Amino acid sequence: MRVPLSWLREYVDVATDATPEDVLAALVTVGFEEEDVHRFDITGPVVVGQVVSLEAEPQSNGKTINWCQVDVGEAHGGVRGIVCGAHNFVAGDKVVVTLPGAVLPGPFPIAARKTYGHVSDGMIASARELGLGDEHNGIVVLSDLGIDAPVGTDAIALLGLDDVAVEINVTPDRGYAFSLRGVAREYAHATGAAFRDPAERDFAELQPGSGHTTVVDDVAPVRGRVGASEFVTRVVRDVDPSRPTPPWMIARLSLAGMRSLGVLIDITNYVMLELGQPLHGYDLDKLAGGITVRRATPGEKMTTLDGVERALHVEDLLITDGSGPIGLAGVMGGGTTEMSDTTKNVLIEAATFDPTTIARTARRHKLPSEASKRFERGVDPLIPFVAARRAADLMVELAGGTLTDEGGALFAEVFVPEIELPADFVPGLIGVDYTDEEIVRALTTIGAEVSDADGGWTVIPPTWRPDLTDKWTLAEEVARIHGLDRIPSVLPTPPSGRGLTAHQQGRRRVADALAAAGLVETPAFPFTTEAQNDLHGSATGAHLPSIRLANPLDGQAPYLRRSLIPGLLQTAHRNISRGLIDLAIFETGVVFLPEPGVEYGTDDVPPLGARPSDETLAALNASIPPQHRHIAAVLTGHIAPRQPGRPAEPAGIVEALDAVRVIAAAAGVDIDVVQSERAALHPGRTGSLLVAGEEVGYVGELHPAVAEDADLPGRATVFELDLDRVLTLASGRVVAASLSTFPAATQDVSLTLPADVAAADVQAALAEGAGALLEAVRLVDDYRGDGVPEGSKSLTFALRFRADDRTLTAAEATAAKLAGVEVAAQRFGAALRD
């Protein structure tokens, strides 16, 4: 909300020496966020001048310019010669002259310069050049604005161009602050300055008369609330829409962020900003019969003021006459009855609409407006009569109209429920020892009615504060009015037994370990295509059920992911396209795994205004597909760059398996690798990851065709694990192994065996046979060539033996090794290689 200070001073006593920063600081103390300060980008000298003479001079380019002699006052050099291309003025007119040294919005500095054969010693300004509107067909003639000021008068102050506005951020629960009335009241709360309510008028003069009563025919109210509870109309006849909007009003509207659109529309916008009540003006002569407020019918359409034909929804609330829809209630008027340059008689509308209805309509049609912004936050139900009369008075004053006894009003009883506030509730909640007097004073200051009750008070909030609904919101108001700085900064003591769950701790431990190992975490959006889900979500690439979003952010990726790999591939491509080609990235995130044959989702969405029942919540939870947390990574490029004396080291399966082992150590499990196949991975370079014999993921090199489709140059290695399942299979708390003080005995063994036997199976057999003395076993060589029979291979393993209570002898280590070889020989026909 932008608040011009000259306007603010009309309703609250702001010190004459208060700066915009001072005003913002005061508003911050009552809970508003400061945004900015807005000024007209114009500096003087800009003065009132009077045209002494002008000579029309045709030019060779077809234009005709006026060579003018303009008196700007003795203090500014007397009569100056100025070239002007406009023709809407005559000798004797008083105009706005920008003299050399002035700077107009743009910035556009003014200087004496030679043009059209003359030295133009300044410029006669138009409204657009001054920042007072879009009119550029002629210069500003002060008599047209009803201004007669002495020559040489400072035109910046005269036209209100020296005003300044402060901008604050208004939270959704404080819609009353979208008005000068609301901000002025809050400034009074902050400073104690006297507040003058512009809505305080004798109710007798607010009666609208008769002849234009509105009918509300809402057969399908949203949540049982009728779309329009109040509808006030007033009629002003014989207006002159050609009259100029006064400069002070244009300046205020401009600083408030609104363009001047003609005196009639400017008046309705001005009153909306002043009182917070949106208004609409109809050309009375274009209305066909009486006004009816109703919901749209199926298939109905209307054209709004922006010239767009809109297909209406049956929840949309319409303003209609005999011809059909003439406005989207509370959002935007229709084009058929809008006020124009030919309007003579105006019907002013001020209404109270259901906030939910207006909010839904504005979002449905992607049509946010200043009116909808206020209605959806709640407008004071007692203000429509005041606003309609205020707009009518301004049309009489500024547009020459006549206020008639015509009009109408749809009344509604305004009922604000009482709130019980126990005496000890506010101090107990806020943590400040407020006295009873302070609590009552704070609540009466904001406009609430407070009466004594047993053990506390009964409070009726003011009508302009629909956000005050319970004792908690009242407590917040007490804290706000008396200063949030009174609340002590004390950290709460957490109750025992709370904290992260074992799975949460495990997820953090795994992610931290991967990051410490050099991988970079890169979260991605959980949206993908059905083809990507099929390719990466299953081993065979067969079609699997996927969840399609009803309203996807990206129409080309409307499905929730079954795998993290597609998002990581997009991230890798984006980085490579920016020159970052050596990547080791990972993500932990949720995947969505719907079960075949099960229908997910529901059209039965409960209303937002009430807590759903347990049965409804259970049905909603049942409509959600299983969600598992996975961890995945993509490695491509090099793990070490080329250096003097050392070639670059490409990332591959080894590095991916190292990352998997990091995850295993952090999770507290042993992960085994078994060769397998997957549709998205390279044949022969793919493995399944197992924990306690259960498959929990896979690792492998991306298939060249898949890498090419992902625009990844070279090789890329990936892995993905079901992290939730890995942590479930973990034995419990991860305990660091004890370090033995006895030395290790190391031996190697080379075995010849059939080529189709998996090295992992042989390693497991060696470990089983070697027994408890074997501390570690690792494959170090896989040889197939000369010296090895055809169809066979030679596997070399490095074994490390250690005892906890003694130093092993070479004979003990050899015996353990041979025991392992014996098991491998029995299972796979392995033989020691000579």
Side-chain angles (χ1 to χ4, degrees), residues 88 159 215 480 653:
N88 65 318
L159 299 177
V215 175
R480 188 174 66 87
I653 290 288

Side-chain angles (χ1 to χ4, degrees), residues 47-52 69-74 77-80 97 151-152:
V47 301
V48 174
Q50 186 168 28
V51 180
V52 177
Q69 300 300 312
V70 184
D71 183 7
V72 295
E74 292 299 327
V79 177
R80 294 182 180 234
V97 181
V151 171

